[in-house]
Amino acid sequence: MAVPIAVLDCDLLLYGRGHRTLDRFKLEDVTDEYLVSTYGFPRQFIYYLVDLLGASLSRPTQRSRAISPETQILAALGFYTSGSFQTRMGDAIGISQASMSRCVANVTEALVERASQFIRFPEDEATVQGLKDDFYGLAGMPGVLGVVDCTHVAIKAPNAEDLSYVNRKGLHSLNCLMVCDARGVLLSAETHWPGSLPDCTVLQQAALTSQFETELHKDGWLLGDSSFFLRTWLMTPLHIPETPAEYRYNMAHSATHNVIERTFRTIRSRFRCLDGSKGTLQYSPEKSSHIILACCVLHNISLEHGLDVWSSPATGHMEQPEEEYEQMESMDSEACRIRQELLLTHFS
């Protein structure tokens, strides 16, 4: 039986025989409004990503070499921001659903490779002081270097035997530990923790703890909620405030810590693949973790480019367990002393 020529041509385009390039879709042929509505970002941002990732996406060893970096990036952005491999989007840029999946994998890998470039704590004194000043301007809480919390992202069940990813709601998820600054820029993101682990256990085992206990910032601290233990570098709210100073401290703590909740809402609003509205991430825990981290990198890059979506309404429903943790009481006397000194010096 004769094979249609159109099918052969498509295979040549998709698999790169002869190193042909698939460039059916041209950014310059459409409006910014169309790009934002379909792929989540305007033209200049997409051009920036092409410059940033182009070399990685043109590696000769990749099967998708025939698909241009620009098209690969559009395919990945379409998935990140819609949570779907829908045929309509693939048709718009001229590739199949299978090719879209490969493009997402390639772009995700390229972004993860650059995570340390875009997600990091500042090291120079002037920028560190700027962090503290920005946080102090929110609610008068001094010495804050970042706010920390965990959020869950639903994933498919790895296998029937592995219960480590089952969270308190009986759903499979990754528990992601993140720190942000006063503008919502991520300073740390660990996206690989199994959903069964409580927040305090994630923090105990996280690289973030080693970073703060051995390297960073002896003259400041993070803010965490009551799911974490009080530490010398992590200030938590008082369980039962009694004095006016303690109430003022808790109010300032809550108002400042709220930045991380707004940041989580922003990320799931922009990257619908994480919000649960299209179902769970249909990948292994490792690949799902990389997709989440890639979205975190894009979140920071978008803020660098002035694309702030904090004013956007939150949509979807990123699955996460209800807050049923017990109050974490610290046995660290030095941490208790530091918090008491903070109360007396700044809130009395």
Side-chain angles (χ1 to χ4, degrees):
M1 186 174 72
V3 178
I5 296 298
V7 173
L8 295 176
D9 287 345
C10 182
D11 285 344
L12 284 172
L13 288 168
L14 293 179
Y15 297 111
R17 192 179 304 161
H19 304 305
R20 297 178 63 179
T21 301
L22 182 59
D23 279 321
R24 298 178 187 173
F25 184 92
K26 298 291 186 182
L27 279 176
E28 58 269 23
D29 292 342
V30 296
T31 64
D32 257 10
E33 290 76 10
Y34 171 81
L35 291 171
V36 171
S37 65
T38 307
Y39 305 103
F41 294 94
R43 187 186 331 273
Q44 289 307 313
F45 183 87
I46 296 170
Y47 281 142
Y48 173 82
L49 293 181
V50 172
D51 289 341
L52 177 70
L53 307 178
S56 297
L57 299 177
S58 301
R59 292 170 181 162
T61 56
Q62 290 181 344
R63 290 182 66 190
S64 60
R65 176 175 177 177
I67 303 178
S68 69
E70 179 179 294
T71 301
Q72 292 185 62
I73 288 167
L74 287 171
L77 292 179
F79 170 71
Y80 297 148
T81 58
S82 74
S84 173
F85 285 123
Q86 57 185 320
T87 303
R88 179 182 61 80
M89 188 170 296
D91 290 344
I93 53 179
I95 63 175
S96 68
Q97 181 171 316
S99 293
M100 279 195 66
S101 182
R102 289 193 296 273
C103 291
V104 171
N106 293 343
V107 174
T108 296
E109 178 184 353
L111 288 167
V112 167
E113 287 174 354
R114 290 160 177 80
S116 62
Q117 177 183 344
F118 293 99
I119 302 175
R120 64 188 188 278
F121 281 92
E123 296 180 356
D124 62 284
E125 290 186 11
T127 309
V128 170
Q129 186 58 50
L131 274 183
K132 296 177 183 178
D133 293 343
D134 289 344
F135 276 117
Y136 188 80
L138 294 179
M141 180 70 75
V144 180
L145 300 165
V147 289
V148 59
D149 208 348
C150 290
T151 189
H152 286 250
V153 177
I155 63 171
K156 73 172 184 179
N159 57 62
E161 292 75 31
D162 190 352
L163 301 179
S164 64
Y165 292 92
V166 179
N167 62 36
R168 289 176 177 172
K169 285 189 173 181
L171 304 171
H172 290 81
S173 68
L174 290 167
N175 195 2
C176 304
L177 178 74
M178 300 187 193
V179 180
C180 74
D181 70 10
R183 296 192 304 119
V185 175
L186 295 173
L187 307 175
S188 177
E190 299 184 34
T191 59
H192 62 284
W193 297 102
S196 66
L197 293 181
D199 295 359
C200 62
T201 303
V202 169
L203 183 61
Q204 279 181 323
Q205 300 179 10
L208 179 68
T209 293
S210 299
Q211 193 177 19
F212 266 80
E213 291 187 345
T214 62
E215 301 173 19
L216 280 179
H217 313 309
K218 302 301 182 183
D219 57 344
W221 39 73
L222 303 179
L223 295 188
D225 63 21
S226 297
S227 63
F228 301 116
F229 287 107
L230 178 71
R231 300 169 184 258
T232 57
W233 50 268
L234 178 64
M235 293 292 104
T236 60
L238 290 140
H239 181 35
I240 304 176
E242 296 177 349
T243 69
E246 290 175 346
Y247 276 103
R248 285 192 289 268
Y249 167 85
N250 270 15
M251 289 177 65
H253 187 291
S254 177
T256 307
H257 188 264
N258 186 54
V259 173
I260 191 74
E261 299 301 332
R262 294 174 65 193
T263 300
F264 289 156
R265 289 195 297 270
T266 295
I267 291 171
R268 68 174 176 260
S269 175
R270 172 164 270 158
F271 302 108
R272 299 291 299 280
C273 68
L274 308 181
D275 76 356
S277 65
K278 300 292 184 180
T280 62
L281 284 175
Q282 296 297 302
Y283 297 92
S284 68
E286 181 181 10
K287 289 184 178 179
S288 295
S289 170
H290 286 179
I291 288 172
I292 300 166
L293 186 55
C295 291
C296 290
V297 173
L298 288 172
H299 167 77
N300 274 11
I301 296 175
S302 69
L303 291 181
E304 281 188 12
H305 285 73
L307 302 177
D308 189 341
V309 295
W310 269 10
S311 58
S312 301
T315 56
H317 55 284
M318 181 183 287
E319 293 289 355
Q320 49 187 316
E322 296 174 3
E323 297 295 338
E324 298 175 350
Y325 51 77
E326 295 181 8
Q327 179 76 21
M328 298 291 108
E329 295 295 345
S330 177
M331 302 302 292
D332 187 334
S333 59
E334 178 63 11
C336 292
R337 185 195 65 78
I338 290 173
R339 185 170 65 180
Q340 189 62 29
E341 183 178 315
L342 180 59
L343 278 163
L344 294 173
T345 304
H346 293 278
F347 295 98
S348 292

